[in-house]
Amino acid sequence: VRQSYLDRRGIKYVIALTPEKHEVHPEGLPGYVAEPQPASAARRLESVDGLSMIGLRDVLRSARASRSLYYRTDTHWNDDGAYFGYRALVEWLAVQFPTIQPIPRERFDAVTITGFSGDLARMLHLPTPPSEDIIALRLRDARARRLEVQVPLDPRLLSPAHGVPQAWGTSDKSLPRGIIFHDSFAEGLWLPLLAEHFETLV
């Protein structure tokens, strides 16, 4: 229903399915949970006809041979994983808006951050959280900025208290405007990086 509603108004709509860690790195699972699992909600969604959808699982599986794409101490993808997901989404956008092209990996600086401790320790109730050194990607000469705009929140969306709506943008009126409904996978690299391709991204 949402897809057809937006199509009638000339609004492009796409769902990007971010894969869970074990779908990309199953080799990290112990044998007793590595057996075939029931299809996740995201996997079932892939079979729905008529939806514009980007499945990122295969993209990340293809890229995992060269590097780890998820944090060791966390359930989320790291900046390398987020970058491969970003590329796939922007390549879809480029078909709709030919002036948009993914930012090459060479335009990023790699910054080492020590002592990162992810969400697995909290989930496992570990008394001494393990930590790791991670690589953060920083875009050189970024155009997009967090905008000082208060975005009204519809309470029916049930956004968590820490997930206050954000507005990012370049103020470049030749670019499209966009809205992204996201989970925690989009925090960090995705929001400011995707905003490079929009006049305003909320």
Side-chain angles (χ1 to χ4, degrees):
V1 173
R2 183 180 298 166
Q3 177 88 62
S4 58
Y5 173 88
L6 295 173
D7 284 346
R8 290 195 301 272
R9 287 158 178 78
I11 298 171
K12 306 300 182 184
Y13 178 69
V14 67
I15 298 171
L17 299 173
T18 51
E20 295 186 73
K21 185 177 184 177
H22 66 270
E23 293 183 290
V24 176
H25 290 292
E27 69 279 1
L29 291 173
Y32 66 89
V33 293
E35 300 297 327
Q37 301 292 315
S40 65
R43 295 284 293 278
R44 294 195 299 273
L45 193 61
E46 288 177 349
S47 64
V48 177
D49 292 331
L51 285 178
S52 295
M53 199 165 313
I54 303 170
L56 300 177
R57 184 179 66 254
D58 291 342
V59 172
L60 269 67
R61 280 183 170 177
S62 297
R64 71 183 175 183
S66 60
R67 67 198 76 191
S68 176
L69 302 179
Y70 285 70
Y71 297 115
R72 183 172 55 83
T73 63
D74 196 274
T75 56
H76 296 85
W77 56 21
N78 58 26
D79 279 10
D80 275 318
Y83 177 76
F84 283 109
Y86 151 82
R87 277 194 67 91
L89 179 52
V90 174
E91 284 167 2
W92 182 91
L93 285 170
V95 175
Q96 324 299 321
F97 308 98
T99 58
I100 292 177
Q101 294 298 322
I103 297 171
R105 182 69 166 71
E106 296 74 31
R107 282 188 54 194
F108 293 81
D109 292 321
V111 179
T112 300
I113 298 175
T114 60
F116 173 82
S117 182
D119 59 12
L120 284 174
R122 173 176 52 80
M123 293 178 176
L124 296 171
H125 303 285
L126 298 180
T128 306
S131 63
E132 60 181 311
D133 294 345
I134 64 172
I135 301 296
L137 298 181
R138 299 286 185 261
L139 177 62
R140 293 189 296 274
D141 304 317
R143 292 198 304 163
R145 296 288 182 268
R146 178 85 179 264
L147 304 177
E148 295 297 326
V149 176
Q150 202 164 30
V151 182
L153 175 65
D154 185 336
R156 294 172 297 178
L157 295 178
L158 300 177
S159 181
H162 67 274
V164 177
Q166 302 179 25
W168 289 77
T170 62
S171 301
D172 183 345
K173 295 190 180 301
S174 69
L175 296 174
R177 291 175 291 171
I179 298 175
I180 176 172
F181 295 92
H182 66 87
D183 64 8
S184 52
F185 272 74
E187 295 175 1
L189 187 69
W190 258 39
L191 290 177
L193 193 50
L194 286 172
E196 291 288 316
H197 306 289
F198 289 88
E199 176 191 353
T200 307
L201 179 66
V202 174

